[in-house]
Amino acid sequence: MATMLQMKTLLLALTTATLAFAPAWAQTQEPQLNLPRAKLSAGMHQIDAQVAGTPGQRATGLMWRREMPQHEGMLFVFDQPSVQCFWMMNTLIPLSAAFLADDGSIVNVADMQARSPESHCSAKPVRYVLEMNQGWFAKKGLKPGDKLSGGPFARR
């Protein structure tokens, strides 16, 4: 049976290989600014999240942004739960990613440096990842086990 380190290494290699041959839509140098939006909340904290729900939207994510308001973020929505891994190669601002269970519970949070090829993965399979400016979750006192509501979590 493969160890967790071997699995993470394989995921990183597959992600890197996939992105190296990414289609043209993933290699544009224009930020996505007009995605659909969802209102989320974490306790009393309100979040205006752009929703990246298609493969192209998810591949581009927050790349090429030079700034992002503190109350805004991007919610990545996947078709089914899987170990999700993110990197920051063409992302110009440092971010924190909260990996979220189907009910909006935070599974784990990763702080990610701008322009870094380092991969950050969910601790278990998830369908949602919320990226905010780096440190946002820590500043709000949010940690694994805390729940977000609204958007796709409103009906759970």
Side-chain angles (χ1 to χ4, degrees):
M1 197 177 322
T3 67
M4 184 60 101
L5 179 59
Q6 289 170 323
M7 290 172 51
K8 284 187 175 182
T9 302
L10 177 61
L11 278 171
L12 177 58
L14 289 172
T15 301
T16 302
T18 300
L19 291 173
F21 297 101
W25 47 255
Q27 302 204 13
T28 68
Q29 292 191 6
E30 294 294 322
Q32 308 185 94
L33 300 173
N34 297 313
L35 295 179
R37 291 185 177 265
K39 298 290 184 193
L40 306 175
S41 60
M44 63 182 212
H45 308 290
Q46 300 298 307
I47 303 163
D48 183 13
Q50 287 188 294
V51 179
T54 69
Q57 293 167 346
R58 291 189 302 259
T60 302
L62 290 168
M63 289 181 186
W64 316 117
R65 294 261 181 111
R66 298 208 176 275
E67 61 186 8
M68 184 168 63
Q70 287 300 309
H71 69 284
E72 290 188 14
M74 184 170 284
L75 181 66
F76 295 80
V77 180
F78 296 88
D79 294 331
Q80 54 192 352
S82 180
V83 172
Q84 304 298 340
C85 294
F86 281 59
W87 71 331
M88 302 276 289
M89 187 57 92
N90 295 318
T91 307
L92 309 178
I93 55 177
L95 300 170
S96 292
F99 298 93
L100 306 167
D102 280 356
D103 68 353
S105 297
I106 299 173
V107 171
N108 61 297
V109 177
D111 287 337
M112 305 182 297
Q113 297 306 312
R115 298 181 180 249
S116 171
E118 183 181 357
S119 186
H120 302 273
C121 301
S122 58
K124 67 180 190 179
V126 297
R127 284 196 325 140
Y128 304 99
V129 180
L130 177 63
E131 288 184 340
M132 300 290 289
N133 284 300
Q134 191 174 83
W136 188 90
F137 297 99
K139 287 176 191 167
K140 307 299 184 200
L142 299 170
K143 58 193 177 316
D146 291 337
K147 278 190 177 183
L148 275 65
S149 59
F153 314 116
R155 47 190 176 275
R156 297 197 185 278

